[in-house]
Amino acid sequence: MQRSVLCSVFGSAFGSLLLLPALAQAQSAATASTPDLNGIWQAMNTANWELEAHAAEAGPIASLGALLAVPAGVAYVVEDNIPYLPAALEKRQANRLQRWTADPEIKCYMPGVPRANYLPYPFQIVQGADTILMSYEFADAVRTVHMQDPGPAPAKSWMGWNVGHWEGNSLVVEITDQNNQTWLDRSGNFHSDKLHVTERYTPMGSDMLLYEATLTDPEVFAAAWTIRMPLYRRKEANAQLIEFKCIPFAESVLYDAIGR
Amino acid sequence: MKQTIGLISLMVLAAGQQPVMAHHSFAAEFDIDKPIQLQGKVTQVEFMNPHSWIHIEVTNTKGEAEQWEIEGGTPNTLFRKGINQDTLAIGTEIVVEGYQSRDGANRASGRNLTLTDGRKLFIEGSSTP
């Protein structure tokens, strides 16, 4: 009771006072017409385990019991299932059977888009007027979103060629020219180097973004499909990206075959 | 003297453990006495650090197709010289001059690359001597 009174009395008065400096800061960083996406964000779900709805299952090492078990999850795909072409669906099933050895995350490869955004690691958005940097804790991956047309991509890359624009309150990013080495989750969902991703970041209040990514890939999917999930602001006073340079952890997997 | 032996053993060690695609000196991997010129079609380009690799299919003197891997500089080095995924699109006919690998494999450090429009570009494999 005491707590609710305190909340109602002080919540509105002091709460808005406390928010003022934060708002002022936000407005200085973004132009008057665009929202401020600066901050450290993270998905809080099991999409990285599997984008489609899935039950919990045992992990790869029996002696570790529940420790590395796969948590269950709902569908993060708007259409429920990913519309694979028949041959691609077979490849996805084959990938899934070797998920504990073939997932590029094991090798510390840069995760590609959209997977980078729902890895269980935070990422930071640093917003400028002409470019927006997205910096990821996992593998030190980064991508630069060009808000002016940068011309065609010089080469295919892990994190693709990112070109953005604002549509109302949403940051829309078109990503092309990713290589075909990344997966979309730990369950073998994949794409080719013809993947085109259209991302949409829409603020839902000051501490949440609605993240949507529409994927088309004529070699893998029969139709466009969309991933949708919230991204949450990391609110710890000392929230920050900390190094996760994972190549040393993956050295044995990467190099034993050719003799370290 | 001790320093020379140290240097030699270091080089031997480096050569013995060298993964094919790793960063290396020219001498550890390629032979200055095996200059080659190849003409072929691009089958794959890997723009990656520390060296990019251009894969080409070459027809040898017997009329057989051979696959060659040509080492170039870093992606940034190549982009700045005007080489990108469009100039080296799959199927592009190129002439490459370079130096073959010491072990005689179909692999070479690239030096000059000539496109069919006559443009000649330095592709800067391992610091060519």
Side-chain angles (χ1 to χ4, degrees):
Chain A
M1 178 61 191
Q2 203 175 7
R3 201 171 155 192
S4 67
V5 169
L6 274 176
C7 283
S8 59
V9 172
F10 296 113
S12 54
F14 290 107
S16 54
L17 275 178
L18 284 171
L19 274 174
L20 277 176
L23 279 173
Q25 201 179 6
Q27 277 164 0
S28 68
T31 61
S33 58
T34 56
D36 182 3
L37 308 184
N38 283 299
I40 297 180
W41 303 92
Q42 190 167 344
M44 203 165 71
N45 58 43
T46 62
N48 188 48
W49 280 106
E50 186 163 2
L51 284 165
E52 295 178 344
H54 58 280
E57 61 179 274
I61 303 168
S63 63
L64 292 181
L67 195 60
L68 296 183
V70 179
V74 297
Y76 304 98
V77 178
V78 173
E79 297 81 0
D80 287 333
N81 295 308
I82 302 172
Y84 278 103
L85 292 166
L89 185 59
E90 280 179 30
K91 183 170 181 206
R92 193 276 300 267
Q93 307 298 44
N95 285 349
R96 182 168 293 184
L97 292 175
Q98 22 176 0
R99 66 191 295 182
W100 299 114
T101 54
D103 180 358
E105 187 185 341
I106 294 169
K107 299 175 193 165
C108 185
Y109 287 170
M110 280 191 275
V113 183
R115 188 176 182 181
N117 281 12
Y118 48 80
L119 285 172
Y121 302 85
F123 71 100
Q124 185 162 8
I125 297 179
V126 182
Q127 184 174 337
D130 298 335
T131 52
I132 296 175
L133 178 77
M134 298 196 184
S135 177
Y136 295 87
E137 184 162 308
F138 184 84
D140 280 351
V142 289
R143 56 185 173 132
T144 303
V145 179
H146 301 273
M147 301 303 284
Q148 315 276 351
D149 181 11
K156 295 197 188 304
S157 60
W158 294 94
M159 301 299 286
W161 194 242
N162 293 249
V163 184
H165 67 275
W166 294 97
E167 276 180 23
N169 221 19
S170 303
L171 171 67
V172 180
V173 187
E174 307 283 350
I175 302 100
T176 59
D177 294 279
Q178 296 194 69
N179 69 28
N180 61 0
Q181 301 293 300
T182 59
W183 283 10
L184 299 171
D185 58 21
R186 291 174 178 165
S187 294
N189 288 307
F190 74 106
H191 60 86
S192 79
D193 60 4
K194 304 291 185 299
L195 177 68
H196 183 120
V197 183
T198 303
E199 286 182 309
R200 192 173 279 271
Y201 299 80
T202 310
M204 310 288 281
S206 59
D207 296 325
M208 184 180 137
L209 299 174
L210 178 64
Y211 176 67
E212 294 162 295
T214 299
L215 287 76
T216 56
D217 185 335
E219 292 188 0
V220 179
F221 309 126
W225 59 282
T226 299
I227 294 166
R228 182 180 292 157
M229 64 181 66
L231 298 173
Y232 300 97
R233 187 186 293 281
R234 291 289 298 258
K235 297 281 284 181
E236 298 92 326
N238 57 353
Q240 59 191 289
L241 293 193
I242 306 174
E243 282 188 343
F244 186 74
K245 291 180 184 293
C246 45
I247 288 286
F249 313 147
E251 255 179 4
S252 166
V253 175
L254 288 167
Y255 301 127
D256 275 358
I258 51 176
R260 259 194 285 171
Chain B
M1 180 59 188
K2 204 190 267 180
Q3 217 173 9
T4 316
I5 292 171
L7 189 65
I8 291 170
S9 57
L10 195 73
M11 284 167 69
V12 169
L13 200 71
Q17 297 195 332
Q18 203 59 248
V20 174
M21 298 291 187
H23 200 197
H24 52 75
S25 74
F26 177 89
E29 183 86 4
F30 301 103
D31 192 341
I32 190 71
D33 295 324
K34 288 186 191 161
I36 50 161
Q37 188 185 60
L38 299 163
Q39 179 166 0
K41 282 189 173 154
V42 175
T43 56
Q44 187 192 350
V45 184
E46 297 172 278
F47 287 103
M48 61 182 186
N49 288 308
H51 298 289
S52 298
W53 288 87
I54 303 164
H55 299 242
I56 57 173
E57 186 173 294
V58 175
T59 307
N60 67 17
T61 48
K62 295 175 196 159
E64 299 157 346
E66 275 182 8
Q67 309 302 323
W68 281 77
E69 294 170 13
I70 312 299
E71 187 193 67
T74 65
N76 255 331
T77 310
L78 299 184
F79 298 160
R80 288 175 188 190
K81 290 175 164 59
I83 300 176
N84 57 41
Q85 63 180 357
D86 288 331
T87 46
L88 289 183
I90 290 172
T92 306
E93 186 89 22
I94 58 171
V95 177
V96 175
E97 289 163 354
Y99 303 92
Q100 192 172 2
S101 74
R102 285 189 172 275
D103 63 5
N106 289 357
R107 204 162 51 238
S109 176
R111 188 177 182 125
N112 295 318
L113 183 150
T114 312
L115 296 165
T116 44
D117 63 9
R119 269 187 296 165
K120 197 169 186 177
L121 299 155
F122 180 49
I123 55 171
E124 209 172 326
S126 305
S127 314
T128 19

